[in-house]
Amino acid sequence: MSESAANLSDILARIDAARKKAVAPAPSTTLIAVTKTHDADAIRPVLDAGHRVFGENRVQEAMGKWPGLRAAYRDIELHLIGPLQSNKTREAVETFDAIHSLDRPKLAHALKAELEKQPKPMTMFIQVNTGEEPQKAGVAPHEAAAFVALCRDELHLPVKGLMCIPPNNENPAPHFALLQKLARENTLPLLSMGMSGDFESAIKFGATHVRVGSAIFGERSVDAG
Ligand SMILES: *Cc1c(COP(=O)(O)O)cnc(C)c1O
């Protein structure tokens, strides 16, 4: 077995164990295997092991490797977990099945227009800047309700959940708890939270999607942000 396939099976077992230990886990927790910076050859062993849900943080990079992999493997589900420019919505809707980085009205309107041009089933998450870090994407927690109302109720975008990236070097638990609270208040069923270092904690707070990269594919040589 390749190292990444072995890591995959280890992470799936840890997800299972964390769900069993959790008092109130989500009905299911999907592992998004994050493949940014890794090429098709590095991804294939994980596909061969049967995994089908993947995440990329850049539209352009995903366009380079996933059409070929989609042609070779059925039922791939690809999630955009990084920032999206409103002039890249056509490519994003073409390339991805889910978008986790919806975070501003201009982007919401652009996605609405694009989905009218090329209708397809998609899942969207609103990114919340739970740490209110100035350099980080996402709506502030106090703006979340109004932005959910705009995206879901006014524009009828397929918004099903919230996503967060807690500040580095901080206990992520309060951020996961806050995201869970905001999702409940806004009756959103999905929670995208938890990465290689903290997915077990996120599962405690009801994560439905964990985004794990380096624990499966190894450390990235370039920091892809
Ligand atoms: C890279 C990335 C991840 C995965 O991070 P790891 O620490 O490698 O597991 C998760 N979420 C986002 C938004 C990312 O950009």
Side-chain angles (χ1 to χ4, degrees):
M1 203 194 282
S2 76
E3 193 173 338
S4 56
N7 291 340
L8 171 75
S9 107
D10 175 58
I11 297 295
L12 287 170
R14 283 172 60 189
I15 289 173
D16 236 35
R19 287 177 52 76
K20 290 206 174 92
K21 247 179 74 183
V23 177
S28 68
T29 304
T30 299
L31 170 62
I32 301 174
V34 177
T35 49
K36 65 187 183 200
T37 76
H38 299 287
D39 63 14
D41 285 340
I43 300 168
R44 259 183 227 107
V46 168
L47 280 158
D48 288 332
H51 197 72
R52 288 296 179 270
V53 186
F54 294 89
E56 288 279 349
N57 73 332
R58 289 186 177 155
V59 177
Q60 211 67 31
E61 183 184 337
M63 289 169 72
K65 54 187 150 169
W66 284 99
L69 290 167
R70 279 194 197 268
Y73 297 85
R74 285 160 183 266
D75 303 325
I76 285 173
E77 189 181 302
L78 194 59
H79 293 242
L80 176 62
I81 60 172
L84 175 57
Q85 293 171 281
S86 28
N87 64 0
K88 282 278 176 349
T89 49
R90 181 172 60 80
E91 292 89 338
V93 169
E94 273 168 14
T95 307
F96 292 95
D97 304 293
I99 293 174
H100 293 235
S101 48
L102 179 51
D103 67 350
R104 57 200 192 279
K106 187 178 177 197
L107 177 59
H109 285 279
L111 283 168
K112 162 83 174 165
E114 192 51 46
L115 276 175
E116 277 166 5
K117 280 189 230 157
Q118 48 165 332
K120 66 178 270 195
M122 286 197 92
T123 303
M124 293 183 185
F125 296 76
I126 287 171
Q127 184 171 351
V128 181
N129 187 357
T130 55
E132 306 203 46
E133 297 171 276
Q135 83 288 4
K136 202 167 261 177
V139 297
H142 71 272
E143 297 166 342
F147 192 58
V148 171
L150 169 70
C151 294
R152 181 186 60 192
D153 307 332
E154 240 177 87
L155 299 177
H156 303 292
L157 288 170
V159 171
K160 300 285 158 52
L162 301 178
M163 177 272 227
C164 76
I165 308 170
N168 286 334
N169 316 317
E170 232 182 75
N171 177 8
H175 298 272
F176 298 151
L178 173 58
L179 202 69
Q180 180 181 44
K181 172 173 168 284
L182 291 170
R184 280 193 184 138
E185 288 169 358
N186 291 283
T187 56
L188 289 165
L190 304 183
L191 278 171
S192 166
M193 55 191 198
M195 320 201 325
S196 289
D198 57 18
F199 67 89
E200 282 143 325
S201 166
I203 286 170
K204 265 193 237 167
F205 293 96
T208 63
H209 292 74
V210 293
R211 312 177 307 264
V212 178
S214 49
I216 299 172
F217 296 100
E219 291 301 324
R220 290 175 292 272
S221 42
V222 243
D223 184 6

